[in-house]
DNA sequence: AGTCACACGTGAGTC
DNA sequence: TGACTCACGTGTGAC
């Protein structure tokens, strides 16, 4: 872990961010050890995840505490304090829960700030990973962000993957721009795909804390005066472990073979063991994948992703392959180890490529999932639009709640229909007694209103003067329905109307009459007059009621009496 | 990768499944090399993901092809064929796209079966990973399944994490049961939490192909007569690389320091470099995390997750720490390496623990997320209920589409309001010219006729003198039905009678009237008079007709208007 | 803290 | 096969 302290600022920032994303912690502190006479830990570097906070309200508070915390300096002489405990006792991985942290904290800032922390002591100092106590921290997004890094626009050849690429300063990855979360996209509409950019799994808005330049120099390691080799000259990988008894790869094999006879009855243990096995395989490669050195010309296989075909006859493998029983000369052992090394490197590289491929496949959802996504977004937008327009029609004061919109729309609709019914009935009643010339005028007017007109359905609703029921919440209506030029029988019409009336809650039938007569050539006219008592506890919409009846009868005429 | 060939069947199955899940491939084949005179590759083992198919329709077909493919035997002598190319040329990672696979295939089954494959050649044979060309393969689920393994119910101490645990056969993971997806939960309501079980992310139904027992033995490696060490005796980790110039950890440091001065202008390269760095750190541990050997008593720190405090004064670290400038004696170097080793191991273990922790946090949604889930479900259910009730109020024939419901509700509301406006206007106009008229001797005469009878149902059928229709085969009847002392509403009675009349063939309704009035205490009287035209072509039994009507009405009265 | 409401992306079904 | 709809689980903000 000391390497983290040796990196330059940019690399360390990236490294810390990667670590943070990998472990899901929301802050990292690099406490660097300053040798005597200071003999203390100071904040070398760190990252702080502002997004991944337990609660957004206290985010600023926590951030302020962190800023205060990171400016602290901790004496290493004190044995029982954090940070410093892991460093002093050389504990490479010390995880402390809140209760222990409270005990070991030396300042009130720490006590307010600490939740759960992992202290990794090393020679250069101590690395502190801050974990949140709140379990519903955004683990999933962390996972996705962790394992779905930026999309690779090109495939890595082994050379380019290992060597340092020249800078492409203008090639900015759009995904790396941090964006704040937003609630709705409905406001921004015109460019369809532009809004997508805001919704790609956002990288965390990690605020990298810059410290003064003098501190960015690698801190001298008090415990290890031998400096880290930073030369760029290549180091032959064959000599690394040439005189060791077993190569790391063989060790991996042995580690594997040690567990090969074990059955794993439990999925948990099985997975754990398999993870260990994978890690054993991984660890068989002694970090040569990061080597600067260009690979040997004839021995390193080409990139697997592009399927280059190296001339196989001249490879070392070919020679080895043709003499399987060759004695284990040092050269052969070297070649063997080199082969293993290459394989390990290649495995690592393939692992990397796989992950990158997965990342590509997940972040680039093939533009079909992207279409799906934006169409779904459009659909939601449309639906919300409809909701809003519907709510705008509702009486004011209704909650903009979606369910409330629906229910009040329902009630309002019912009330409107009741109003319609009431109004039309009252109309009819008024019309009925307007001329004292008896029923003739009644029918005439009805016929004139609807009969002579070419529409086949006429519904009139008139209110009856309710001297018999003087209470205000009950009123009497006459509903007249005329249906002409249809071979529909009267029974169906009456049944439909009555069934509709049953569905209307606050309307009850007092009396009715119906008749049928021939009119003209072959069309008969059905007329029904119903006297209704309307309970006006809720508002009663005559027009709505009349329209509903009209629809019922029209639907009946349209269906042509096809109901059983 | 040869280790995969050395595992026993159960471990290998788990290993292959893990590999498959990690890489998102949908099949894996282990092609084992059989030494001369056979000199060929045969199918040692493999897994095939039946779920993760590009299209479910062709899944069986692909599975059949795979079954045929895996029974093939491939000669290694041929240079340009797959599988075998990677093995022969010792290519540790050869990825071939479909076009190359088609060229290198030697059988038609392969040509039909191949999509994209990665061939990893090793001494024991070749490992083939089948990747799908279809990019919308379920990467996300693979990811989740990969990094969220079964929940660990207990924390791992360093000893238990390394050693093989005894079996717990009854500890089955409930999540491992596959379940088919379903569309709606609204139909199953009563046990709230029971339905949750059906919605847990399903594990893939990976079918492990069993092969005959004789094949499960590790194939002899023709290229490496020195067998893999399978002894269980511990190997002191300190001696592994004791005589090498640089330890793997130092190599990692060097690798790190080689890239420490490089700026990463591009996030892609940055991430790649950081991943390499992480892997370099990882690879610094020579696979000792899988070691059987119990750790040294005083040197290995305890598990980090439970924050045990080892007595730090007696640790080797303490000694080293107190003498920072100690000369680098061999013992000191050993200690240093041991320290590094321990740190690396601990780092690995912490990585493991982190992943497990993440897995726990994600698979156990803390029962708060569960509450959230079901409350959200309830909310959706309620909202859909409101949608349905709103649609039921809308004129029939509207689409049950959600957006259509909203829009037609809007239109209907608008039309209803227009009707209300129009009707009220007309009403005002009518009320302006209202004469003080009064009448309504509407139903006085009817009360006397049947009101005195004490039976609840009275049906009378009287023939009307048919001077208007003098033909013999049509006669006119008046059917009067009186239903009293029942809270049944008139609508139901009329509906029943009319539906009955519709069922009678030779009777058609000419006209009718109905009314209801109060009689006595709380029983109301419903009276219906229907004028019927009876076609007497067939025999017409007045008494039977009357009795049938009576039964219909009596049945209605008995059912007490319980029909909807 | 806890409840509620909403939007999001995604898998699946339907036409 | 593609366009469309829906339900689901989840993240997140507001009260």
């Amino acid at each position: 872990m000391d390497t983290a302290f040796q990196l330059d600022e940019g690399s360390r920032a990236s490294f810390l961010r990667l670590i943070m994303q990998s472990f899901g912690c929301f802050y990292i502190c690099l406490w660097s050890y300053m040798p005597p006479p200071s003999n203390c830990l100071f904040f070398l570097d760190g990252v702080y995840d502002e997004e991944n906070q337990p609660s957004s309200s206290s985010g600023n508070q926590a951030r302020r505490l962190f800023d205060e915390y990171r400016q602290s300096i901790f004496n290493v002489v004190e044995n029982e304090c954090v940070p410093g405990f892991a460093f002093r006792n050389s504990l490479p991985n010390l995880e402390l829960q809140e209760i222990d942290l409270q005990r070991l904290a030396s300042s009130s800032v720490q006590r307010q700030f600490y939740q759960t922390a992992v202290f990794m002591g090393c020679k250069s100092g101590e690395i502190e990973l801050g974990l949140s106590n709140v379990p519903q921290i955004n683990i999933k997004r962390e996972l996705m962000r962790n394992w779905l890094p930026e999309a690779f626009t090109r495939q890595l050849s082994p050379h380019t993957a290992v060597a340092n690429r020249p800078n492409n300063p203008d090639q900015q990855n759009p995904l790396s721009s941090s964006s704040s979360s937003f609630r709705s996209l409905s406001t921004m509409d015109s460019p369809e795909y532009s809004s997508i950019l805001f919704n790609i799994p956002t990288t965390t808005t990690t605020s990298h804390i810059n410290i003064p330049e003098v501190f960015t120099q690698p801190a001298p390691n008090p415990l290890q005066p031998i400096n880290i080799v930073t030369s760029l000259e290549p180091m032959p990988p064959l000599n690394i472990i040439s005189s060791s008894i077993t190569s790391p790869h063989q060790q991996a094999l042995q580690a594997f073979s040690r567990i090969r006879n074990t059955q794993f009855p439990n999925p948990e243990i099985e997975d754990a063991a398999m993870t260990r096995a994978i890690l054993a395989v991984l660890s068989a490669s002694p970090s040569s994948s990061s080597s600067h050195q260009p690979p040997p010309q004839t021995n390193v296989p080409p990139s697997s992703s592009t399927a280059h075909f190296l001339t196989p006859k001249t490879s070392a493998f070919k020679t080895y392959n043709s003499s399987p029983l060759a004695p284990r000369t040092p050269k052969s052992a070297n070649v063997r180890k080199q082969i293993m090394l290459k394989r390990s490197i290649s495995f690592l590289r393939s692992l990397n490529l796989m992950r990158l491929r997965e990342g590509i496949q997940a972040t680039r959802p093939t533009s079909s999932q992207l279409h799906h996504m934006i169409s779904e977004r459009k659909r939601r937008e449309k639906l919300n639009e409809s909701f809003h327009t519907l709510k705008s029609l509702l009486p004011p004061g209704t909650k903009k709640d979606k369910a409330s919109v629906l229910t009040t729309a329902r009630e309002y609709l019912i009330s409107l229909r009741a109003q319609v019914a009431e109004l039309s009935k009252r109309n009819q009643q008024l019309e009925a007694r307007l001329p004292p010339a008896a029923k003739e005028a009644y029918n005439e007017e009805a016929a004139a209103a609807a009969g002579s007109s070419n529409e086949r359905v006429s519904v009139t609703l008139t209110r009856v003067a309710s001297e018999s029921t003087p209470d205000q919440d009950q009123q009497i209506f006459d509903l007249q329905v005329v249906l002409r030029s249809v071979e529909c029988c009267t029974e169906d019409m009456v049944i439909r109307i009555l069934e509709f009336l049953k569905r209307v809650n606050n309307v009850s039938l007092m009396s009715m009459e119906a008749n049928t007569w021939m009119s003209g050539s072959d069309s008969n006219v059905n007329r029904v007059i119903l006297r209704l008592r309307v309970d006006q506890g809720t508002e009663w919409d005559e027009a709505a009621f009349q329209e509903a009846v009209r629809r019922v009868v029209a639907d009946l005429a349209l269906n042509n009496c096809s109901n059983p």
Side-chain angles (χ1 to χ4, degrees), chain A:
Chain A
M1 299 309 302
D2 285 282
T3 52
F5 293 84
Q6 320 295 333
L7 293 171
D8 67 336
E9 190 173 336
S11 302
R12 186 167 51 220
S14 305
F15 176 75
L16 292 183
R17 207 188 55 181
L18 186 62
I19 286 284
M20 184 171 67
Q21 291 172 2
S22 299
F23 288 172
C25 52
F26 72 102
Y27 74 89
I28 301 181
C29 290
L30 257 62
W31 300 103
S32 182
Y33 176 71
M34 190 168 290
S38 296
N39 200 27
C40 63
L41 291 177
F42 72 95
F43 180 87
L44 172 66
D45 204 345
V47 284
Y48 184 83
D49 190 348
E50 290 192 331
E51 258 193 16
N52 221 357
Q53 275 309 298
S55 72
S56 60
S57 61
S58 64
N60 291 330
Q61 167 78 359
R63 174 55 196 266
R64 196 182 53 77
L65 285 172
F66 177 73
D67 285 339
E68 201 171 344
Y69 173 58
R70 70 184 178 89
Q71 292 176 4
S72 310
I73 290 181
F74 299 94
N75 201 335
V76 190
V77 175
E78 305 174 36
N79 200 9
E80 294 255 334
C81 77
V82 283
F85 190 84
F87 168 74
R88 183 175 173 82
N89 300 312
S90 299
L91 301 174
N93 199 302
L94 168 65
E95 173 170 340
L96 294 179
Q97 304 298 323
E98 189 167 15
I99 180 168
D100 294 316
L101 286 173
Q102 295 296 328
R103 187 168 53 81
L104 294 172
S106 54
S107 73
S108 66
V109 178
Q110 295 174 269
R111 273 183 280 272
Q112 294 176 65
F113 181 73
Y114 279 154
Q115 299 192 34
T116 299
V118 174
F119 298 91
M120 298 192 273
C122 61
K123 294 176 292 301
S124 302
E126 195 166 334
I127 299 180
E128 173 182 354
L129 306 178
L131 298 172
S132 170
N133 285 338
V134 185
Q136 53 261 50
I137 279 299
N138 212 339
I139 291 300
K140 182 189 167 194
R141 196 199 298 181
E142 285 300 322
L143 260 178
M144 300 305 285
R145 203 184 302 136
N146 181 16
W147 298 113
L148 305 182
E150 336 297 331
F152 246 40
T153 54
R154 65 193 170 281
Q155 292 186 322
L156 289 176
S157 76
H159 302 249
T160 56
V162 168
N164 287 317
R165 302 289 303 237
N167 300 359
N168 293 347
D170 51 348
Q171 189 175 353
Q172 273 294 338
N173 193 326
L175 301 189
S176 64
S177 68
S178 68
S179 73
S180 63
S181 71
F182 59 95
R183 190 149 183 89
S184 173
L185 275 174
S186 305
T187 56
M188 44 193 306
D189 44 358
S190 29
E192 296 208 353
Y193 284 74
S194 68
S195 61
I196 301 300
L197 292 178
F198 293 91
N199 221 350
I200 284 177
T202 60
T203 64
T204 316
T205 61
T206 59
S207 65
H208 184 71
I209 293 108
N210 292 316
I211 61 176
E213 276 295 1
V214 63
F215 285 141
T216 61
Q217 302 300 326
N221 193 333
L223 308 180
Q224 189 182 23
I226 302 98
N227 282 332
I228 303 298
V229 179
T230 57
S231 70
L232 293 181
E233 58 206 46
M235 183 172 54
L238 294 184
N239 298 331
I240 296 173
I241 47 176
S242 59
S243 56
S244 67
I245 299 176
T246 56
S247 72
H249 192 236
Q250 276 182 329
Q251 282 185 264
L253 295 187
Q254 291 172 10
F256 234 127
S257 59
R258 279 192 206 98
I259 61 173
R260 55 168 289 206
N261 287 324
T262 66
Q263 295 292 335
F264 300 106
N266 198 318
E268 307 169 358
I269 300 182
E270 173 186 312
D271 266 356
M274 280 308 142
T275 308
R276 287 200 305 275
I278 290 286
L279 290 178
V281 174
L282 281 183
S283 59
S285 160
S287 82
S288 299
S289 67
S290 313
S291 170
H292 235 329
Q293 162 195 25
Q297 294 87 340
T298 59
N299 291 337
V300 170
S303 165
S304 61
S305 62
T306 51
H308 289 161
F309 292 105
L310 202 68
T311 54
K313 316 250 187 212
T314 63
S315 73
F317 264 89
K318 182 61 170 54
T319 311
Y320 185 83
N321 204 357
S322 59
S323 61
L325 295 179
R328 300 186 64 205
T329 65
K331 177 174 181 292
S332 165
N334 274 356
V335 170
R336 261 191 59 248
K337 276 156 195 157
Q338 187 176 3
I339 289 168
M340 295 176 197
L341 217 60
K342 282 192 304 183
R343 289 183 181 170
S344 301
I345 296 169
S346 177
F347 180 80
L348 271 179
R349 193 178 301 131
S350 77
L351 179 73
N352 234 352
L353 277 178
M354 294 286 181
R355 285 183 181 166
L356 289 172
R357 186 194 322 284
E358 284 181 355
I360 289 174
Q361 285 188 356
T363 53
R364 290 288 166 79
T366 352
S367 88
S368 161
Q369 286 192 352
L370 203 141
H371 269 314
H372 181 31
M373 196 181 73
I374 61 165
S375 65
E376 179 67 15
R377 229 179 257 179
K378 284 272 183 188
R379 175 183 159 270
R380 272 197 299 261
E381 206 170 324
K382 202 96 180 172
L383 214 141
N384 282 354
E385 224 172 72
S386 299
F387 262 110
H388 284 139
T389 55
L390 180 58
K391 193 186 72 65
S392 70
L393 286 185
L394 292 181
T398 53
K399 307 190 63 173
K400 68 174 190 174
D401 181 10
K402 225 177 249 185
S404 303
V405 166
L406 282 182
T407 54
T408 55
R410 186 183 92 100
E411 294 170 2
Y412 190 43
L413 225 154
I414 290 176
S415 82
L416 273 186
R417 297 211 296 206
Q419 279 184 41
V420 166
E422 182 206 1
L423 278 179
S424 62
K425 183 173 179 178
R426 177 166 178 171
N427 247 340
Q428 187 175 352
Q429 181 158 7
L430 284 178
E431 286 175 5
R433 89 193 43 194
L434 175 58
K439 305 282 175 77
E440 284 307 318
Y442 191 64
N443 288 338
E444 288 303 323
E445 185 171 351
S452 63
S453 72
N454 48 9
E455 54 185 351
R456 305 187 311 183
V457 180
S458 129
V459 176
T460 57
L461 183 67
T462 61
R463 179 188 297 236
V464 180
S466 57
E467 59 273 2
S468 61
T469 59
D471 45 353
Q472 269 108 349
D473 55 346
Q474 279 198 354
Q475 284 188 344
I476 312 269
F477 287 87
D478 267 349
L479 173 67
Q480 168 179 292
V481 180
V482 177
L483 177 62
R484 72 174 61 240
S485 79
V486 185
E487 54 272 20
C488 180
C489 53
T490 315
E491 294 97 313
D492 282 317
M493 194 176 83
V494 175
I495 287 175
R496 285 295 185 97
I497 293 171
L498 291 183
E499 279 177 343
F500 167 74
L501 285 183
K502 280 179 60 182
R503 285 204 302 271
V504 181
N505 287 328
N506 45 359
V507 174
S508 63
L509 179 66
M510 293 176 66
S511 65
M512 61 163 291
E513 59 176 270
N515 47 22
T516 307
W517 68 89
M518 292 301 176
S519 149
S521 59
D522 53 351
S523 73
N524 47 2
V525 177
N526 306 317
R527 190 192 66 166
V528 185
I529 299 177
L530 306 104
R531 175 151 299 186
L532 308 174
R533 183 189 303 111
V534 176
D535 184 9
Q536 281 187 315
T538 67
E539 47 272 278
W540 160 258
D541 191 350
E542 282 190 18
F545 181 77
Q546 190 171 349
E547 173 60 19
V549 172
R550 205 196 62 79
R551 277 175 195 260
V552 165
V553 178
D555 181 58
L556 169 73
L558 199 128
N559 284 351
N560 207 8
C561 300
S562 61
N563 62 338

